[in-house]
């Protein structure tokens, strides 16, 4: 019995480690989606944490199995011990240092994401993303670099999804795209997020980017894609029955293509 | 009958709570089965079931996505509140707390009975939500506004109101029950039962009672305010400028994110509330079946209290990407990794307890070992999620679902199994069947790993949670085999639970009869007959030692009851008065 | 596994001081540490009488109540920052009810003093006054609501300050109603001389709870109408 349980626990520990390594090595489909930005800190922090927790996991399970195996019912010499304060303190310090170190490293990445200023702020392309049940609507400011006014009263699902006010001259050249975000490669993007109804969350797995969208506020997030291709945008905050199909396409194209795309009127 | 239903005996109340929790568990597991089936095979039709609940099916006879979300909401709510808040705490606590501290009853027996019936009422209200117009709510167990404020349409109508009312009623019951626990522990300990001599189970119950007193009033207040937003159009959480069902809602200036603060201020301590009594029981069982004192009893007590208190300072880790200040996120991230330290210490102490012992692998011990393994695995997932920068990616993906199912859905449930098998002989004078128990342990232990570990992979691959199906995304489609694997593992594991129920029922009538202390444990409940007499102790026991005096060197036997004055039973040493 | 036949040796010594109350737990036992040995069990104490003190219940009951209000106040403070926040003018009746409640606390304290001093008649009189004042408080609060509604300010009104006023007064009233029930019980007992200087648990509990509700109301009053 004891041997069976010990072997089960060891076996389990090894299987778990193998499965996670399989993901790490990229040989199975449950790995991260392809990373399309040069900002790879999140992935490396993940793998670092995976290594550390993996060691902790393996150690604790090997010990657990070993104890079950070793200290059987017939052990004649039970160690009478009520604890060992020095061990506890050392252990707590050790664990604490590892955890805090991880936290510090993670905070570095966090500050890079949230507080780093783009090197050339004027260069940043601003795009507005509006979430509604159950689609994403994107808007480019057009030639004048200004977003026109929108009014909720004017919203019409088919003809004027954002409720653009045509009286505002800034609106005239605004470009509205349903469920497709087109961006130039290698260029910092500033995304302004709004919601027409409930909370949503702008989630681009390939960019490791997620930001909740709260109605009544506009939130901003920034990113840069460094790989041309077609990717997917999902909604990651429960927003109603159609949550699972709130999909948009992310199309990363070259700068020239993008400029041409902007000029072609209406853009495809 | 009436005498039994409304009995003031704490043991009856405990059993009633246990039965309620078991019923809730069966309901919630059934819901999760439906959920997984819909998620994995969305095109399947359900001829029989669609007649029973036509509103849950589309014209083609397939389950609607609304119904998936309703199932999910109800599953989560029932599991969190009606299983994990009441089984470890109210059920086992009401039964065994007075027995373990040498009291004849709870401080306020009537209060205990009342809280049970209020809880039952809350459960009935919640279940009713399935059958009212619009059906059960779909906003998830977290009920984030403004989704939860929309008051018409499938999953948004009366069901949501009932959900809120049920939780408000539940909160009141939880508060009353915890009052009773606190006073009982502080005032009804028998002579010599100093706090630092209490079994760790009692510490677990005390910590959870403290958490309940501090956390549930917040849920109650938030729930009532949300209800007002829905019913009379106040705007605590209703933002300005929404278009709902084609109608513009403006002139509101509520703050939806306030709900998240309030909810998680309650919600995070709530998840510790679900696990702390389990930790207590597991420490207790590990010591008893390793024939060793708990390794670092005092550290365990402090770790329990530290977890209970720190639990109130980390709620923001559920909101890293919700639009709170990035500085606030950094603080919460640090605090979250700090709270991992006492949890890690507990793990060390569990292993330390087994080290050098004389391990008897009876079923309660097996479940306890399972708990340790699942707690470690699930807890390590928390190290990822607590780092705000990693949580940007992992938040609201299946990684989270896998993480909390390993801790709460598996470890805490294993603690319930362990406690059931451990105390069954005390309650019925009979033992549960060991062979059935062992088979059940093996199947369930392997089963929960097979279900919930792959969910981490889904999360790493970017599968968001609360998706009714994955067919709409190209990058998710390739995960279908993994989803299928999980569902099949789930079906097998759920069926294996029949073993537990068969064991529970047959052992009640036909289990092996045992004496009053079959596990040779040391605490007070094992000094009375099984089942315990109506008033527990004919004379108040006198406690002379801590709860875990196993294998004391030079002692006449390998365990000393807490009532035993002297380790050398044979010798007659004079007792020094203090 | 063998059956257990522990010879539980009960200690019959009558030494040891009288251990009343639950305040001996902090002394801790020598049951920890690596060398705790057999002399562990030498401490004997007299069996305690188990009597639940209602005061302890009250102490623990006040915690969740305070937190319940704290949660609403937290929402209130967050809303105060929104634009267009214009506090309503204080209904005149609110001032009256505040004074009444404060006085009722004082009279109730007088009642308790009287009871302690064994002046049962005085006690009865003070309790009657307090109960009357308590009921007056509810009446004046209702009048305040009436005054507001007469001005067309309702709970679901556009003015959030009014919403909070209604909700906080209602929640406070509901809790104070519990105090009023306690007070009626005390009044009933006072009329039939059920209480005495050393039988006054119910009086102490009710008084403390009443003071608590009084303090809570003063806080809410300041929050709603003074600190703006
Ligand atoms: C038979 C075992 C179980 C299975 C197969 C299962 C399955 C699931 C599934 C499929 C979801 C929905 C995930 C999603 O779509 O986002 C879910 C959610 C959830 N489950 Fe379980 N579960 C089980 C047991 C438990 C237990 C024991 C608990 C107790 C804590 C629990 C608590 C929850 C909670 C809190 C949610 C979240 C609901 C929400 O998102 O609002 N589950 N479960
Ligand atoms: Cu969504
Ligand atoms: Cu949490």
């Amino acid at each position: 019995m004891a041997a069976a349980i010990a072997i089960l626990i060891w076996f389990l520990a090894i299987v778990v480690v193998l499965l996670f390594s399989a993901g790490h090595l990229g040989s199975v489909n449950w790995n991260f989606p392809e990373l399309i930005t040069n900002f790879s800190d999140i992935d490396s922090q993940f793998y670092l944490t995976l290594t550390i927790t993996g060691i902790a996991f393996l150690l604790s399970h090997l010990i657990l199995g070993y104890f079950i195996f070793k200290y059987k019912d017939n052990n004649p010499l039970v160690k009478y011990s009520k604890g060992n304060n020095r061990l506890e303190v050392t252990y707590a310090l050790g664990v604490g240092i590892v955890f805090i170190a991880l936290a510090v490293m993670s905070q570095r990445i966090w500050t890079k994401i949230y507080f780093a200023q783009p090197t050339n702020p004027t260069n940043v392309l601003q795009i507005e993303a509006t979430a509604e049940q159950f689609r994403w609507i994107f808007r480019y400011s057009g030639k004048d670099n200004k977003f026109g006014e929108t009014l909720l009263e004017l919203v019409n699902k088919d003809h004027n999804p954002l409720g653009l006010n045509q009286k505002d001259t800034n609106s005239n050249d605004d470009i509205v795209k349903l469920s497709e975000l087109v961006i130039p490669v290698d260029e910092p993007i500033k995304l302004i997020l709004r919601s027409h109804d409930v909370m949503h969350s702008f989630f681009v797995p390939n960019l490791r980017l997620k930001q909740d969208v709260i109605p009544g506020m506009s939130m901003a997030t920034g990113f840069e894609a460094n790989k041309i291709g077609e990717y997917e945008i999902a909604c990651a905050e429960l927003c109603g029955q159609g949550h699972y199909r709130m999909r948009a396409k992310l199309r990363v194209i070259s700068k020239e293509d993008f400029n041409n795309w902007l000029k072609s009127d209406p853009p495809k | 009958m009436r005498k039994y239903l409304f009995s003031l005996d704490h043991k009856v109340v405990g059993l009633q709570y246990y039965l309620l929790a078991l019923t809730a568990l069966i309901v919630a597991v059934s819901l999760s089965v439906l959920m997984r089936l819909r998620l994995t095979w969305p095109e399947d039709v359900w001829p029989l079931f669609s007649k029973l609940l036509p509103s849950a099916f589309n014209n083609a006879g397939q389950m609607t996505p609304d119904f998936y979300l309703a199932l999910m909401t109800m599953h989560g709510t029932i599991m969190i509140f009606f299983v994990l808040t009441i089984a470890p705490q109210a059920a086992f606590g009401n039964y065994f707390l007075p027995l373990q501290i040498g009291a004849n009853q709870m401080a306020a027996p009537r209060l205990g009975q009342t809280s049970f019936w209020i809880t039952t009422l809350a459960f009935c209200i919640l279940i009713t939500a399935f059958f009212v117009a619009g059906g059960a709510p779909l906003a998830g167990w977290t009920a984030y506004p403004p989704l939860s404020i929309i008051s018409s349409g499938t999953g948004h109508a009366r069901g949501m109101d009932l959900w809120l009312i049920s939780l408000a009623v539940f909160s009141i019951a939880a508060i009353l029950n915890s009052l009773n626990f606190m006073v009982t522990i502080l005032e009804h300990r028998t002579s010599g039962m100093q706090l630092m001599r209490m079994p760790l189970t009692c510490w677990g119950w005390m910590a959870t009672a403290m958490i309940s007193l501090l956390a549930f009033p917040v849920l109650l207040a938030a729930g009532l305010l949300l209800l007002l937003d829905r019913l009379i159009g106040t705007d605590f959480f209703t933002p300005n400028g929404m278009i709902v069902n084609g109608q513009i809602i403006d002139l509101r200036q509520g703050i939806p994110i306030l709900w998240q603060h309030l909810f998680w201020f309650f919600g995070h301590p709530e998840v510790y509330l679900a696990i702390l009594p389990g930790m207590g029981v597991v420490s207790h069982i590990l010591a008893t079946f390793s024939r060793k004192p708990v390794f670092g009893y005092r550290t365990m007590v402090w770790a329990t209290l530290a977890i209970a208190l720190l639990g109130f300072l980390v709620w923001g880790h559920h909101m890293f990407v919700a639009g709170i200040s990035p500085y606030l996120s950094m603080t919460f991230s640090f605090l979250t990794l700090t709270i991992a330290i006492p949890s890690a210490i507990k793990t060390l102490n569990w292993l330390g307890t087994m080290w050098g012992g004389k391990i008897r692998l009876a079923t309660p011990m097996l479940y306890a070992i399972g708990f340790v393994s699942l707690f470690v695995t699930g807890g390590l997932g928390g190290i990822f999620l607590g780092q705000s920068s990693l949580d940007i990616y992992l938040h609201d993906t299946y990684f989270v679902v896998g993480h909390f199912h390993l801790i709460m859905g598996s470890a805490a449930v294993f603690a319930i199994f362990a406690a059931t098998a451990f105390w069954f002989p005390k309650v019925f004078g009979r033992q549960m069947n060991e062979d059935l128990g062992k088979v059940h342990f093996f199947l369930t232990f392997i089963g929960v790993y097979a279900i919930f570990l792959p969910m981490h992979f889904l999360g790493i691959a970017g599968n968001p949670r609360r998706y009714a199906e994955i067919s709409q995304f190209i990058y998710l489609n390739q995960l279908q085999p993994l989803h299928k694997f999980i569902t099949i593992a789930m079906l097998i594991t759920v069926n294996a639970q029949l073993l537990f129920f068969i064991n529970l029922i047959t052992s009640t009538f036909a289990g092996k009869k045992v004496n009053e202390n079959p596990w040779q444990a040391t605490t007070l409940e094992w000094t009375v007959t099984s089942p315990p007499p109506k008033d527990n102790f004919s004379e108040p026991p006198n406690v002379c030692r801590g709860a875990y005096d196993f294998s004391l060197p030079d002692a006449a036997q390998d365990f000393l009851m807490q009532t035993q004055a002297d380790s050398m039973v044979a010798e007659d040493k004079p007792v020094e008065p203090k | 596994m063998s059956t257990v036949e522990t010879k539980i040796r009960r200690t019959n010594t009558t030494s040891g001081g009288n251990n009343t109350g639950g305040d001996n737990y902090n002394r801790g036992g020598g049951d920890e540490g690596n060398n705790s040995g057999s002399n562990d069990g030498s401490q004997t104490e007299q069996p305690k009488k188990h009597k639940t003190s209602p005061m302890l219940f009250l102490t623990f009951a006040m915690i969740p109540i305070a937190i319940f209000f704290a949660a609403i106040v937290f929402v209130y403070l967050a809303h105060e920052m929104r634009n267009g926040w214009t506090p309503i003018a204080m209904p005149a009746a609110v001032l009256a009810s505040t004074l009444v409640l404060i006085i009722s606390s004082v009279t109730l304290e007088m009642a308790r003093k009287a009871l302690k001093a064994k002046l049962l008649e005085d006690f009865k009189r003070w309790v009657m006054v307090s109960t009357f004042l308590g009921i007056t408080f509810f009446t004046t609060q209702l009048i305040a609501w009436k005054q507001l509604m007469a001005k067309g300010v309702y709970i679901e009104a556009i003015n959030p300050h009014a919403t909070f006023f209604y909700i906080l007064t209602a929640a406070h009233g509901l809790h104070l109603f519990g105090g009023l029930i306690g007070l009626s019980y005390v009044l009933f007992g006072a009329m039939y001389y059920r209480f005495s200087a050393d039988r006054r648990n119910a009086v102490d509990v009710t008084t403390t709870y009443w003071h608590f509700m009084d303090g809570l109301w003063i806080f809410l009053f300041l929050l709603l109408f003074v600190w703006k």
Side-chain angles (χ1 to χ4, degrees), chain C residues 3-198:
Chain C
T3 47
V4 196
E5 258 157 288
T6 325
K7 283 175 219 95
I8 299 169
R9 220 187 49 178
R10 287 198 197 284
T11 42
N12 298 322
T13 38
T14 44
S15 55
N18 10 334
N19 245 314
T20 48
D23 53 0
N24 58 333
Y25 43 80
N26 284 330
R27 273 183 245 145
D31 54 350
E32 256 297 307
N34 294 334
N35 62 346
S36 80
S38 53
N39 55 358
D40 225 44
S42 56
Q43 183 173 0
T44 63
E45 287 157 47
Q46 276 214 323
K48 267 186 274 178
K49 282 230 174 63
H50 292 308
K51 268 225 137 171
T52 302
S53 96
M55 210 55 179
L56 194 62
F57 258 106
L58 180 65
T59 316
F60 282 114
M62 288 190 298
I63 296 172
I65 295 176
I67 291 188
F68 175 80
F69 280 94
I72 302 182
V73 167
F74 168 73
V75 178
Y76 177 89
L77 293 176
H79 273 254
E80 228 179 15
M81 287 181 276
R82 70 198 232 179
N83 34 10
W85 172 269
T86 38
I88 51 169
M90 175 170 51
V94 169
L95 202 57
S97 63
T98 308
L99 286 176
V100 167
L101 194 60
I102 294 175
I103 298 169
S104 74
S105 245
V106 175
T107 57
L108 202 55
E109 196 53 39
M110 301 298 280
R112 183 153 76 161
K113 283 247 173 64
L115 185 62
K116 266 190 202 160
K118 304 199 172 104
L119 304 169
L120 290 187
E121 287 304 319
D122 285 4
F123 167 62
K124 191 162 93 184
R125 235 167 279 134
W126 283 121
V127 172
M128 276 155 90
V129 173
S130 313
T131 316
F132 172 73
L133 289 174
I135 295 170
T136 315
F137 174 80
F138 279 94
T139 325
T140 40
Q141 291 289 76
L142 283 178
I143 293 174
W145 281 12
K146 268 267 171 62
Q147 287 178 342
L148 272 188
M149 288 186 208
K151 282 199 232 156
V153 182
Y154 294 100
I155 180 164
E156 72 278 28
I158 306 301
N159 189 334
H161 185 252
T163 312
F164 277 106
F165 173 75
Y166 280 111
I167 285 175
L168 286 169
T169 46
H172 175 261
L174 212 61
H175 282 89
L176 193 72
F177 192 74
L180 199 63
I181 292 176
L183 206 53
S184 321
Y185 176 77
V186 169
L187 179 65
F188 186 78
M191 306 228 288
Y192 294 95
Y193 303 102
R194 296 261 174 85
F195 297 112
S196 61
D198 35 52

Side-chain angles (χ1 to χ4, degrees), chain B residues 515-539:
Chain B
N515 69 348
E516 81 273 4
N517 190 2
W519 310 120
Q520 305 183 307
T522 56
T523 43
L524 294 181
E525 78 268 31
W526 302 104
T527 62
V528 297
T529 56
S530 309
K534 180 144 196 324
D535 285 322
N536 298 356
F537 303 95
S538 46
E539 58 178 300

Side-chain angles (χ1 to χ4, degrees), chain B residues 381-455:
Chain B
I383 304 294
F384 293 81
L385 297 169
Q387 297 178 38
S388 50
S389 55
L390 293 186
D391 192 59
I392 296 175
Y393 182 74
L394 296 175
H395 175 71
D396 261 341
T397 64
Y398 262 86
F399 195 92
V400 179
V401 181
H403 158 70
F404 73 71
H405 275 90
L406 275 185
I407 293 253
M408 299 199 295
S410 311
V413 172
F414 264 60
I416 296 175
F417 288 146
T420 307
F422 180 64
W423 276 316
F424 193 89
K426 181 47 59 187
V427 179
F428 295 107
R430 294 169 186 274
Q431 205 175 327
M432 285 177 82
N433 186 306
E434 282 283 303
D435 294 332
L436 266 183
K438 281 180 182 146
V439 176
H440 172 251
F441 163 77
F442 271 106
L443 289 177
T444 313
F445 185 63
I446 299 172
V448 291
Y449 265 109
I451 301 170
F452 298 124
L453 201 80
M455 288 192 183

Side-chain angles (χ1 to χ4, degrees), chain B residues 173-476:
Chain B
I175 292 169
L176 294 180
N177 191 49
S178 308
L179 275 179
N180 207 359
F181 270 59
M182 280 313 287
V183 177
T184 307
I185 293 177
L186 290 187
E187 281 210 327
H188 283 227
R189 278 168 296 124
T190 188
S191 61
M193 180 61 88
Q194 296 137 353
L195 281 181
M196 278 302 181
R197 282 178 174 178
M198 288 199 305
L200 285 174
T201 39
C202 297
W203 277 107
W205 291 319
M206 179 153 148
T208 41
M210 283 175 1
I211 294 177
S212 296
L213 288 183
L214 300 175
F216 273 104
V218 178
L219 178 68
L220 181 60
L224 291 178
L225 295 183
L226 188 57
L227 199 60
L228 288 176
D229 269 14
R230 291 177 55 80
L231 294 181
I232 62 172
T234 53
D235 65 353
F236 300 108
F237 307 117
T238 319
N240 194 16
M242 298 161 59
I243 308 178
V244 171
N245 297 328
Q247 269 186 329
I248 298 177
I249 297 181
D250 53 3
L251 296 176
R252 307 289 172 83
Q253 288 196 42
I255 311 164
I257 206 157
L258 272 185
W259 166 269
Q260 296 185 25
H261 281 292
L262 292 169
F263 184 85
W264 287 115
F265 182 81
F266 150 80
H268 191 83
E270 160 71 27
V271 306
Y272 283 116
L273 198 156
I275 199 82
L276 280 171
M279 291 173 160
V281 166
V282 165
S283 315
H284 195 81
I285 291 176
L286 285 177
T288 307
F289 289 84
S290 303
R291 316 308 293 163
K292 276 189 65 195
V294 168
F295 193 84
Y297 173 90
R298 209 169 275 265
T299 336
M300 286 302 241
V301 171
W302 288 115
T304 304
L305 295 177
I307 290 176
L309 293 180
L310 280 175
F312 282 96
L313 303 178
V314 297
W315 78 89
H317 63 210
H318 299 270
M319 302 164 62
F320 286 144
V321 294
I324 60 174
S325 145
Y327 294 103
L328 209 55
S329 292
M330 292 171 76
T331 319
F332 280 124
S333 180
F334 262 120
L335 286 169
T336 303
L337 288 184
T338 316
I339 202 173
I341 299 173
S343 304
I345 291 179
K346 288 203 161 221
T347 310
L348 173 78
N349 286 342
W350 289 324
L351 290 177
T353 305
M354 293 171 68
W355 162 67
K358 193 167 143 184
I359 296 173
R360 236 167 44 199
L361 291 170
T363 28
M365 182 64 169
L366 290 185
Y367 290 126
I369 291 172
F371 175 97
V372 174
S373 164
L374 290 164
F375 181 78
V376 169
T377 315
L380 289 173
I383 304 294
F384 293 81
L385 297 169
Q387 297 178 38
S388 50
S389 55
L390 293 186
D391 192 59
I392 296 175
Y393 182 74
L394 296 175
H395 175 71
D396 261 341
T397 64
Y398 262 86
F399 195 92
V400 179
V401 181
H403 158 70
F404 73 71
H405 275 90
L406 275 185
I407 293 253
M408 299 199 295
S410 311
V413 172
F414 264 60
I416 296 175
F417 288 146
T420 307
F422 180 64
W423 276 316
F424 193 89
K426 181 47 59 187
V427 179
F428 295 107
R430 294 169 186 274
Q431 205 175 327
M432 285 177 82
N433 186 306
E434 282 283 303
D435 294 332
L436 266 183
K438 281 180 182 146
V439 176
H440 172 251
F441 163 77
F442 271 106
L443 289 177
T444 313
F445 185 63
I446 299 172
V448 291
Y449 265 109
I451 301 170
F452 298 124
L453 201 80
M455 288 192 183
H456 291 78
F457 301 137
L458 293 175
I460 295 171
N463 190 345
R465 73 191 266 212
R466 295 166 170 179
Y467 268 25
E469 58 189 86
I470 56 168
S471 57
Q472 304 292 316
F473 285 83
I474 299 162
Y475 83 104
L476 294 182

Side-chain angles (χ1 to χ4, degrees), chain A residues 134 136 198-201 234-240 242-244 246, chain B residues 467:
Chain A
F134 300 96
W136 296 98
V198 298
M199 294 201 5
H200 302 268
S201 189
C235 173
E237 182 66 68
L238 177 58
C239 55
H243 176 47
Y244 69 98
M246 192 162 155
Chain B
Y467 268 25

